[in-house]
């Protein structure tokens, strides 16, 4: 009976995670605009939104790192879980967001079960953007903290669920943070360019606000994209709307991320479309730009639907890691 109840709890929890919404959805190229979720990648994108109907967003993201070598171990379906509940609301130039996350780390197999560290986080974020013709700038202010339940031994999925969501957490030392980011976008014809740094202003270890040029450069991201516009020069709706983009994340850090995105949108009506997304990314060293870190490559596939005021997306991302490990992320989105 207890085993059956545990399986039902896991099934319910899985269905919930797969049917909820997500805070940030790929692709996250900082040059992308027009959709509300592009704001999460670059606050400047809020000034170029084409659809201003979406003023409230509630979402959930689900991810886990899966290791095929331990699939027969207890609680093999929970290895490095990472879930986030997010709520956002705003208007044409501003978006306020609150996020509540739960994740596991330091998984250890013991004789009497599996040991986890459970970590919860609370974050708030304010995005604001201003546009002058084809150029826009945006500011992001965010902060938060984390709490932990460390070295908890779990023997079944029911116990995992209870410890994950229902138990008390203690503050995690050094987890408090505050930072200000700055973004910019420029669009000319079918070409788009974007820049974003996540650390224009940060809270240092002494709890004083500071500006560090090295932090700004280390978190600087550049994006470039080409896309077919929603309407032709004659004013007719474009049925096929391809878009491709390249992104360099953390350009001046020792290890930066290269990402390429391809997207095809079928525009049925002005407010109804279906998009297919493909994503490839990897990590590279600034000392060897053309050499790819084999353990960091990943791909992503997604389908996104926009139907009047209803907006949803379902996505799958897989990282090809060493030691038979894979990163699984399933996401859906709902905007109102």
């Amino acid at each position: 009976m207890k085993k059956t109840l545990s399986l039902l709890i896991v099934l319910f929890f899985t269905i919930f995670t797969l049917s909820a919404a997500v805070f940030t959805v790929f692709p996250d190229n900082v040059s992308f605009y027009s959709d509300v979720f592009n704001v999460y990648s670059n606050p400047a994108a809020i000034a170029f939104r084409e659809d201003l109907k979406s003023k409230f967003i509630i979402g959930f993201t689900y991810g886990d790192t899966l290791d095929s070598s331990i699939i027969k171990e207890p609680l093999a379906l929970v290895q490095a879980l990472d879930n986030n509940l997010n709520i956002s609301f705003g208007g044409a130039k501003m978006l306020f967001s609150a996020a509540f996350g739960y994740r596991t780390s330091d998984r250890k197999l013991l004789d009497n079960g599996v040991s986890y560290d459970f970590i919860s986080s609370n974050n708030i974020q304010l995005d604001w953007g201003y546009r002058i013709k084809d150029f826009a700038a945006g500011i992001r202010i965010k902060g938060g903290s984390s709490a932990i339940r460390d070295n908890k031994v779990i023997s079944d999925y029911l116990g995992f669920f209870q410890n994950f969501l229902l138990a008390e957490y203690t503050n995690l030392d050094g987890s408090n943070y505050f930072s200000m980011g700055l973004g910019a976008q420029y669009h000319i014809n079918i070409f788009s360019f974007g820049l974003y740094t996540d650390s224009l202003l940060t809270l240092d270890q002494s709890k004083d606000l500071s500006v560090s040029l090295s932090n700004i450069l280390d978190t600087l991201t550049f994006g470039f994209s080409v896309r077919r516009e929603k309407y032709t020069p004659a004013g007719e709706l474009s049925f096929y709307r391809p878009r491709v983009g390249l992104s360099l994340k953390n350009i001046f850090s020792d290890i930066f991320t290269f990402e390429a995105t391809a997207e095809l949108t079928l525009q049925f009506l002005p407010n109804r479309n279906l998009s297919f997304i493909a994503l490839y990314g990897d990590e590279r060293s600034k000392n060897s730009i053309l050499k790819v870190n084999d353990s960091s490559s990943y791909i992503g596939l997604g389908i996104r639907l926009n139907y009047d005021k209803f907006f949803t997306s379902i996505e799958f991302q897989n990282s090809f890691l060493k030691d038979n490990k894979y990163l699984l992320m399933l996401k859906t989105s709902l905007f109102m």
Side-chain angles (χ1 to χ4, degrees):
M1 180 65 183
K2 185 177 180 180
K3 183 177 180 180
T4 302
L5 181 60
S6 299
L7 291 175
L8 289 176
I9 290 291
V10 174
L11 180 61
F12 170 79
F13 185 65
T14 303
I15 292 175
F16 174 76
T17 58
L18 298 185
S19 63
V22 65
F23 186 55
T24 57
V25 292
F26 77 80
D28 62 349
N29 189 306
V30 295
S31 70
F32 288 174
Y33 68 103
S34 74
D35 295 321
V36 63
F37 58 80
N38 295 142
V39 178
Y40 299 129
S41 303
N42 189 342
I46 195 172
F48 289 103
R49 281 180 55 188
E50 295 176 353
D51 178 15
L52 299 178
K53 296 179 181 180
S54 302
K55 297 182 179 180
F56 180 78
I57 308 166
I58 183 169
F60 192 91
T61 179
Y62 166 85
D64 199 354
T65 298
L66 304 180
D67 186 345
S68 60
S69 65
I70 64 173
I71 196 64
K72 295 182 180 181
E73 294 181 2
L75 285 89
L77 298 179
V78 181
Q79 298 181 24
L81 200 63
D82 191 352
N83 295 328
N84 291 276
L85 175 66
N86 311 276
I87 301 173
S88 301
F89 60 90
K93 295 182 179 180
M94 186 175 294
L95 193 70
F96 177 80
S97 307
F100 310 93
Y102 292 92
R103 63 185 177 89
T104 63
S105 66
D106 197 22
R107 185 185 193 275
K108 298 176 182 177
L109 181 63
L110 306 176
D111 293 337
N112 56 341
V114 182
S115 172
Y116 295 94
D117 285 350
F118 295 89
I119 301 174
S120 68
S121 60
N122 302 289
N123 308 277
I124 59 173
Q125 179 174 302
L126 179 66
D127 294 310
W128 177 84
Y130 184 75
R131 174 181 177 181
I132 302 177
K133 295 184 178 179
D134 296 324
F135 174 82
I139 294 176
R140 168 168 297 155
I141 300 173
K142 62 180 181 179
S145 62
S146 299
I148 189 172
R149 301 192 78 237
D150 55 344
N151 298 320
K152 298 301 176 183
V153 180
I154 314 299
S155 59
D156 55 36
Y157 288 108
L158 179 60
F160 178 89
F161 180 80
Q162 292 171 340
N163 280 270
F164 191 52
L165 294 179
L166 305 179
E168 183 178 357
Y169 287 71
T170 58
N171 291 332
L172 185 61
D173 293 338
S175 66
N176 295 339
Y177 79 94
F178 173 86
S179 67
M180 177 182 293
L182 179 65
Q185 283 189 345
Y186 178 68
H187 307 291
I188 177 171
N189 297 325
I190 62 174
F191 303 99
S192 299
F193 305 86
L195 278 174
Y196 177 70
T197 178
D198 202 36
S199 301
L200 180 66
L201 184 67
T202 58
L203 192 68
D204 59 24
Q205 296 296 327
S206 61
K207 297 185 178 180
D208 294 327
L209 293 176
S210 63
V211 177
S212 171
L213 180 60
S214 61
N215 287 342
I216 293 175
L217 294 178
D218 285 346
T219 62
L220 186 64
T221 295
F222 169 76
F224 166 76
S225 59
V226 181
R227 78 168 198 166
R228 187 182 187 187
E229 295 294 342
K230 189 174 183 178
Y231 293 95
T232 66
E236 299 178 351
L237 197 65
S238 299
F239 180 64
Y240 295 100
R241 295 175 54 201
R243 179 171 65 176
V244 295
L246 299 177
S247 178
L248 298 176
K249 301 180 180 180
N250 306 325
I251 304 175
F252 296 102
S253 63
D254 292 336
I255 301 295
F256 71 92
T257 301
F258 168 82
E259 201 168 83
T261 307
E263 179 180 310
L264 177 62
T265 298
L266 305 180
Q267 194 73 45
F268 303 107
L269 291 172
N271 55 350
R272 299 180 186 181
N273 58 61
L274 179 67
S275 300
F276 302 91
I277 307 166
L279 172 75
Y280 168 80
D282 59 53
E283 291 183 351
R284 306 184 183 191
S285 170
K286 67 179 182 181
N287 298 324
S288 181
I289 297 178
L290 298 180
K291 184 178 180 180
V292 177
N293 185 346
D294 294 335
S295 66
S296 67
S297 301
Y298 57 92
I299 62 171
L301 298 173
I303 299 176
R304 190 173 63 237
L305 172 67
N306 182 11
Y307 188 89
D308 293 336
K309 294 183 179 181
F310 177 76
F311 188 103
T312 186
S313 66
I314 300 175
E315 303 170 0
F316 168 80
Q317 183 167 327
N318 184 37
S319 288
F320 301 102
L321 308 176
K322 292 182 179 179
D323 304 322
N324 297 318
K325 293 183 179 180
Y326 303 89
L327 177 64
L328 173 67
M329 288 191 292
L330 298 173
K331 306 176 179 181
T332 62
S333 307
L334 178 63
F335 298 86
M336 295 175 286

